[in-house]
Amino acid sequence: MAKDFSPLPTLTLPRTTDLVRLDQRPHPPIGVDSPALSVMTDLKLVNPIGIRADADLREAHQRMVSHGIRLLFVHDDDGSLLGLVTAVDLLGERPIQCMKEHGKHYADIQVSDVMTPRGRLDALSLSDVAVANVGQLVATMQHLGRQHALVVEVNPSNGHHELCGLFSTSHMARLLGQPLSFIRVPQALSEIQYSLLHAG
């Protein structure tokens, strides 16, 4: 088959040869009217970084640091999503609460103890995201009081929902060139009561 094609020319790499950096790659300017998909991390193109629920917090933190990320997808042996764990979950109050409530040592706390389980996660539909703009995404993140938003679509072959995208306010802020920081405000009385009961 190769004989049907002509080879490409090669060049000797000069002394001034650098590795391209992701943050230096040119990209079109992003504004609030840009398509929402332009600021979404496409998990069909970028391999999602996951961790098992029984991993300890040190391993989870090391994985975040080594990949330069602040969120890990928690999964089982079959690849089913069990939940999410963020840097805030690892470094915030959840490990302290776990030690107080369950008498565990820090080294014995597992990702499953501090993650947000799948049943408490919500997501955006890819079909809605595909016709939205960045401004709508910013408004959505602000409304939810979230630093991350998941995107799902249905796999027609088995009817399962598949996680296909992720929005991050820090990523969106870099592309927009402006800070985006949303503080979560409890929306329901039950949520406020839960916070009071489990504080300190």
Side-chain angles (χ1 to χ4, degrees):
M1 184 178 97
K3 68 180 186 299
D4 298 327
F5 301 91
S6 56
L8 297 173
T10 62
L11 58 90
T12 301
L13 292 178
R15 183 175 59 83
T16 54
T17 302
D18 304 317
L19 283 172
V20 68
R21 291 177 47 170
L22 284 174
D23 58 357
Q24 293 177 340
R25 291 183 181 178
H27 54 76
I30 299 295
V32 291
D33 294 322
S34 301
L37 289 175
S38 65
V39 297
M40 184 183 85
T41 300
D42 190 338
L43 297 179
K44 293 179 180 177
L45 302 176
V46 177
N47 190 33
I49 308 299
I51 194 163
R52 287 169 49 96
D54 59 1
D56 61 44
L57 302 193
R58 183 169 283 109
E59 180 184 345
H61 185 250
Q62 288 174 343
R63 189 162 300 184
M64 286 185 187
V65 171
S66 65
H67 288 90
I69 55 178
R70 296 178 59 81
L71 178 148
L72 295 171
F73 299 98
V74 185
H75 58 81
D76 62 15
D77 292 335
D78 297 324
S80 294
L81 182 70
L82 300 178
L84 295 179
V85 65
T86 68
V88 173
D89 297 331
L90 298 180
L91 305 173
E93 295 181 2
R94 289 190 183 184
I96 298 170
Q97 289 176 346
C98 186
M99 287 189 287
K100 284 182 179 179
E101 294 174 9
H102 304 290
K104 289 189 174 184
H105 294 288
Y106 182 84
D108 298 325
I109 300 175
Q110 298 182 335
V111 168
S112 58
D113 294 319
V114 299
M115 72 179 189
T116 301
R118 182 185 60 242
R120 291 182 56 197
L121 295 171
D122 47 30
L124 303 171
S125 170
L126 182 62
S127 59
D128 292 331
V129 169
V131 295
N133 59 34
V134 171
Q136 289 174 285
L137 254 297
V138 171
T140 301
M141 302 289 269
Q142 188 168 21
H143 172 72
L144 295 173
R146 303 275 175 78
Q147 295 298 314
H148 298 92
L150 305 175
V151 183
V152 295
E153 65 177 340
V154 175
N155 183 334
S157 65
N158 60 15
H160 291 186
H161 282 76
E162 288 185 343
L163 201 56
C164 61
L166 176 71
F167 288 104
S168 161
T169 54
S170 58
H171 178 64
M172 291 164 60
R174 280 195 299 272
L175 295 176
L176 287 169
Q178 65 184 58
L180 296 174
S181 181
F182 309 129
I183 299 173
R184 178 72 171 97
V185 179
Q187 297 296 315
L189 180 60
S190 59
E191 198 171 336
I192 297 171
Q193 289 172 332
Y194 181 89
S195 300
L196 292 173
L197 287 170
H198 292 80

